[in-house]
């Protein structure tokens, strides 16, 4: 082999090695033979997250001490007090506190009177809240017993009611629930000395806030015996209403 051939082979090998080295360097070759530029790593953008939402405050789970004390002291008083068989705390539209500041209106109530089969002289006054919110009633309905044919009601008989009333500002009636009050026309069961001509029971569901025009009239039928009638406070059951009636000792 000639010296020229050896030199040519060596030159080819050197150029090949240089080419291979350039491919492994990780750089890019600029167009026009300029110096290669170094690749700069791209730093990912930091995402902007929304400001953290603070945790909700702890819910109020108990009524004020004043309301609790009123409910407790009144529910155990058989001779007065106002008991609904349970209370609902809070300021929503179906709670005691809402009822205390929202008296019942006549259009919010459905009032019925029924005779007790087990006690013929007793009448159960049922006041149902047909509205969507709770409302407050007076402690007992305002009633009288009268002759439906009388012109001026001067002969009307008013019942005894329990004394020692006090406590909550109203009797709460929740939406869809019923308050009961019982009146005994003749607690003694006497057949003589009774008031003649009484054949009607007049009921005003809330004597504290409703006008007299909202009074409803319920027939008792002829021959009703009326003597020193007694009326109890509103209660959540008929049994409790009867017990409240028996404690009546003060003229209404």
């Amino acid at each position: 082999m000639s010296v020229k051939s050896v030199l040519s082979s060596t030159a080819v090998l050197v150029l090949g090695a240089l080419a291979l080295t350039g491919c492994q360097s990780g750089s890019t070759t600029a167009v026009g033979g300029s110096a290669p530029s170094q690749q700069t790593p791209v730093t990912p953008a930091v995402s902007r997250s929304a400001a953290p939402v603070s945790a909700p405050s702890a819910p109020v789970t108990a009524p004020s001490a004043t309301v609790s004390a009123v409910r407790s002291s009144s529910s155990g008083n058989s001779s007065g007090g106002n008991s609904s068989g349970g209370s609902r705390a809070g300021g929503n539209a179906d709670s005691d506190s809402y009822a205390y500041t929202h008296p019942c209106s006549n259009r919010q109530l459905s009032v019925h009177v029924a005779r007790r089969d087990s006690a013929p002289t007793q009448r159960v006054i049922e006041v149902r809240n047909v509205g969507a919110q709770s409302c407050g009633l007076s402690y007992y309905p305002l009633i009288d017993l009268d002759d439906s044919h009388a012109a001026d009601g001067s002969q009307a008989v008013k019942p005894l009611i329990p004394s020692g009333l006090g406590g909550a500002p109203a009797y709460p009636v929740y939406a869809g629930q019923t308050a009961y009050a019982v009146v005994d026309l003749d607690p003694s069961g006497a057949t003589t000395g009774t008031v003649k001509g009484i054949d009607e029971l007049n009921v005003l569901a809330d004597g504290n806030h409703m006008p007299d025009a909202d009074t409803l009239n319920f027939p008792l039928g002829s021959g009703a015996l009326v003597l020193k009638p007694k009326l109890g406070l509103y209660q959540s059951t008929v049994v409790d209403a009867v017990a409240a009636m028996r404690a009546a000792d003060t003229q209404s």
Side-chain angles (χ1 to χ4, degrees):
M1 181 180 295
S2 65
V3 174
K4 185 176 179 180
S5 299
V6 172
L7 291 175
S8 298
S9 299
T10 302
V12 169
L13 291 175
V14 171
L15 290 174
L18 289 174
L20 181 60
T21 302
C23 291
Q24 294 176 344
S25 65
S27 63
T28 56
T29 304
V31 178
S34 60
S37 62
Q38 187 71 25
Q39 287 185 339
T40 303
V42 178
T43 303
V46 178
S47 61
R48 294 177 179 268
S49 59
V53 179
S54 60
S57 58
V60 177
T61 58
S64 66
T66 301
V67 173
S68 298
V70 166
R71 299 290 301 153
S72 299
S73 63
S74 62
S75 62
N77 185 357
S78 61
S79 63
N82 179 18
S83 171
S84 66
S87 61
R88 298 187 185 181
N92 60 63
D94 199 21
S95 66
D96 284 8
S97 59
Y98 187 89
Y100 292 157
T101 57
H102 293 78
C104 296
S105 65
N106 192 43
R107 65 179 179 275
Q108 191 176 1
L109 303 175
S110 174
V111 181
H112 298 279
V113 172
R115 178 175 176 174
R116 293 192 71 203
D117 293 337
S118 59
T121 63
Q122 295 179 10
R123 301 293 186 273
V124 180
I125 301 168
E126 303 174 358
V127 180
R128 182 175 179 82
N129 182 351
V130 295
Q133 294 87 29
S134 63
C135 64
L137 291 170
S138 50
Y139 285 175
Y140 54 86
L142 186 63
I143 76 166
D144 62 58
L145 300 151
D146 200 5
D147 181 349
S148 61
H149 304 289
D152 57 3
S154 59
Q155 301 301 315
V157 178
K158 295 184 177 181
L160 299 177
I161 59 172
S163 60
L165 302 181
Y171 179 90
V173 186
Y174 312 130
Q177 295 196 5
T178 302
Y180 300 93
V182 170
V183 56
D184 196 330
L185 309 180
D186 183 12
S188 66
T191 57
T192 59
T194 57
V195 182
K196 304 299 182 182
I198 300 297
D199 63 356
E200 185 175 70
L201 172 62
N202 303 314
V203 178
L204 185 60
D206 187 337
N208 290 342
H209 301 96
M210 292 181 176
D212 291 342
D214 287 342
T215 300
L216 302 175
N217 313 114
F218 299 91
L220 294 174
S222 60
L225 300 177
V226 177
L227 181 63
K228 297 180 180 180
K230 288 185 174 185
L231 171 68
L233 307 179
Y234 280 125
Q235 300 289 334
S236 59
T237 68
V238 174
V239 172
D240 289 342
V242 170
M245 175 272 296
R246 289 174 178 162
D249 58 0
T250 301
Q251 187 64 56
S252 60

